Amino acid sequence: MEQSLATVTQFSFSTTMLEQLAHETQESAASLRTALKRAVPVVVQALAGRVSGPDGPEAIWKLSREAYGANVLEPMAAANHVSWVKRGESLMRGLLGETYHFTVLRVATAASLGQPAAERVLVAAAVATLGVIGEHSQEQSLTPATLAEWLTREGSTLHESMLADTGSNSSIATVDRTSTPPFTEPATTGACAAVGGGQTYTPAAALVAARPAVRWQWGALLLAAVVLGYIFGNWNSGLFGSEKAPAASVPVISAEAAKANNAATGGRYDAASGNYIYDTGQPIILRLADGTTQKVGANSTENRLYTFLADPGQQVDSINRTKGWINFDRVYFEPGSTTLTDESFMQLRNVASILKTFPASVVKLGGYTDSTGNPLKNFQLSETRAQTAMLAIAGMGIDINRIQAKGYGGKYFITPNTTPEGRALNRRISIRVIKK
């Protein structure tokens, strides 16, 4: 490929494809082209980071070959088009995590688009990039390993060009990804605490309380700078859940403080996907005993599971087996099926990494549905979903003898099934430690 991946992807959007996108979004082709110039580099960097994670090369190799085989670089039939739009959105939500909405906002601002249109452009960029990668992979007979090497080079080259383009007057902050500082206690800002062979950091509360009030305009500008700096400066450290050396600037809290916040978990119902989107709380850093780290929320599945395994004061209740269940907050299935969505694998990988650092532990996965439909079919669906999640974790290096799976259908609902939100909450996968 003589031109860069980002360049080829941008020019892969034919006039017909742009007109179709313009019709869908009710925006001008010129604005959409501007938005694509912003969105495509984001996608390339995210995919380049993904291939450095567990199972990344194989996943991107397979997905890109599928995209190319589906002719995503050409106008598609309606059913195929809708399917790939959904897959592209799931992929980008999984890759970008909590920065997804900020990225959409940045694209919208750069191209003067509405946020729904900007989100659609980001998804279109993701699908097209996969198609270009798949075409290149097939033409060059790339293996997953050689594809990963090429994609990593593309991401590095793009990152360097972004650094050169920003200049001293740019408002976009960047960070050298090759020289991430070690996880150390910031001077005079709080205290570190050892937890189960790992470590968490708690910022000093006084610093937050002492922060002077500012006018909202300056606060908004500061927030924008921080968000954009996070997006462009922390691709490797924030997208895929596990790495060796976290940036010291990321806020973290202690496991004790996290436990106090667990009861406050909230969220919202997403009508488009039919899923409940959990609020995982204040971002924290978990540093595991093997030196890897995870950026998660204080109320997240990962933090609650890790805290239970690491805290000797918390023991398995062998009498009441309904206690100790922890709901996964980012594991979803395609509607009515047993197929995990793309973004689900990030949390499953995080859980697998935690279980690796507690080799004596044994866990049980529970699958649940809402109460609509046939009870027997619901039971079978929940059983298969639990087994699917079990096999996914086992495929990430955990002995399958350490994982059990059981479906419970519509039993043990956590909220009434009278509303779409309630039904979404009841459709879930949970995990319980049965041996520490």
Side-chain angles (χ1 to χ4, degrees):
M1 186 177 288
E2 296 181 359
Q3 299 291 330
S4 70
L5 172 58
T7 300
V8 173
T9 301
Q10 289 172 29
F11 283 99
S12 71
F13 282 85
S14 64
T15 301
T16 302
M17 292 177 67
L18 272 180
E19 288 176 351
Q20 180 181 6
L21 195 57
H23 177 72
E24 292 178 21
T25 60
Q26 298 299 302
E27 299 283 356
S28 69
S31 296
L32 295 174
R33 181 70 75 182
T34 300
L36 284 169
K37 290 180 180 178
R38 294 283 184 165
V40 170
V42 171
V43 174
V44 173
Q45 282 228 339
L47 291 173
R50 175 67 179 89
V51 296
S52 66
D55 305 319
E58 291 79 7
I60 298 302
W61 184 87
K62 180 180 178 181
L63 188 58
S64 64
R65 287 294 185 98
E66 283 186 43
Y68 178 59
N71 294 318
V72 298
L73 299 178
E74 303 291 339
M76 294 184 287
N80 201 24
H81 175 70
V82 171
S83 173
W84 276 100
V85 167
K86 290 181 178 179
R87 296 182 72 175
E89 181 181 352
S90 294
L91 175 66
M92 292 311 298
R93 284 183 180 275
L95 293 177
L96 300 182
E98 294 179 355
T99 68
Y100 178 82
H101 294 291
F102 290 121
T103 305
V104 170
L105 178 61
R106 178 183 170 274
V107 173
T109 302
S112 299
L113 297 177
Q115 289 192 42
E119 183 174 18
R120 181 66 186 85
V121 169
L122 182 63
V123 170
V127 174
T129 303
L130 286 172
V132 173
I133 292 173
E135 181 179 21
H136 180 67
S137 171
Q138 184 161 312
E139 289 179 349
Q140 301 300 318
S141 300
L142 299 182
T143 65
T146 54
L147 174 67
E149 292 175 0
W150 168 72
L151 192 51
T152 300
R153 288 196 300 270
E154 288 287 327
S156 298
T157 302
L158 181 60
H159 179 74
E160 291 169 2
S161 67
M162 286 163 55
L163 283 173
D165 290 343
T166 54
S168 59
N169 294 324
S170 173
S171 62
I172 299 177
T174 56
V175 175
D176 184 356
R177 298 184 299 165
T178 62
S179 59
T180 308
F183 185 80
T184 56
E185 178 183 352
T188 70
T189 60
C192 287
V195 181
Q199 191 179 44
T200 58
Y201 176 72
T202 307
L207 292 180
V208 178
R211 190 173 297 157
V214 295
R215 295 185 63 179
W216 71 267
Q217 294 94 333
W218 289 107
L221 290 173
L222 178 60
L223 176 60
V226 171
V227 167
L228 293 174
Y230 179 85
I231 292 172
F232 280 90
N234 291 279
W235 291 106
N236 280 349
S237 62
L239 297 178
F240 311 110
S242 181
E243 64 279 346
K244 291 291 181 181
S249 61
V250 179
V252 293
I253 65 171
S254 68
E256 289 75 12
K259 284 190 290 183
N261 290 332
N262 280 348
T265 302
R268 62 178 177 83
Y269 172 67
D270 179 51
S273 65
N275 295 325
Y276 190 83
I277 310 301
Y278 289 85
D279 177 5
T280 57
Q282 180 180 350
I284 67 170
I285 291 176
L286 293 180
R287 181 168 186 171
L288 306 182
D290 62 2
T292 60
T293 62
Q294 297 183 8
K295 291 182 182 177
V296 295
N299 301 322
S300 66
T301 305
E302 293 94 325
N303 185 52
R304 296 174 65 191
L305 175 64
Y306 172 76
T307 301
F308 183 86
L309 289 169
D311 185 355
Q314 298 190 53
Q315 296 298 320
V316 175
D317 190 331
S318 58
I319 305 299
N320 187 352
R321 298 183 180 180
T322 64
K323 293 181 61 177
W325 287 98
I326 301 170
N327 294 331
F328 281 91
D329 50 57
R330 300 191 307 286
V331 171
Y332 304 105
F333 291 85
E334 298 293 346
S337 80
T338 59
T339 302
L340 286 160
T341 59
D342 291 333
E343 72 267 29
S344 300
F345 289 94
M346 181 170 66
Q347 182 159 66
L348 293 172
R349 277 192 297 273
N350 285 350
V351 167
S353 296
I354 292 171
L355 294 177
K356 286 176 184 178
T357 62
F358 296 91
S361 63
V362 179
V363 298
K364 183 175 185 178
L365 302 183
Y368 306 85
T369 66
D370 58 37
S371 61
T372 59
N374 184 287
L376 178 58
K377 290 184 178 179
N378 283 343
F379 172 78
Q380 294 169 337
L381 179 64
S382 67
E383 181 91 6
T384 306
R385 284 180 169 180
Q387 292 173 352
T388 299
M390 175 187 72
L391 293 174
I393 294 175
M396 297 168 185
I398 303 301
D399 186 345
I400 199 168
N401 293 315
R402 295 176 54 200
I403 318 169
Q404 301 177 14
K406 174 70 175 176
Y408 298 98
K411 296 173 63 178
Y412 308 115
F413 55 87
I414 56 179
T415 189
N417 286 283
T418 53
T419 65
E421 179 178 359
R423 291 189 288 273
L425 279 165
N426 289 329
R427 295 190 296 268
R428 65 196 190 278
I429 295 290
S430 301
I431 185 170
R432 180 177 186 265
V433 177
I434 59 178
K435 180 184 177 184
K436 293 182 70 171

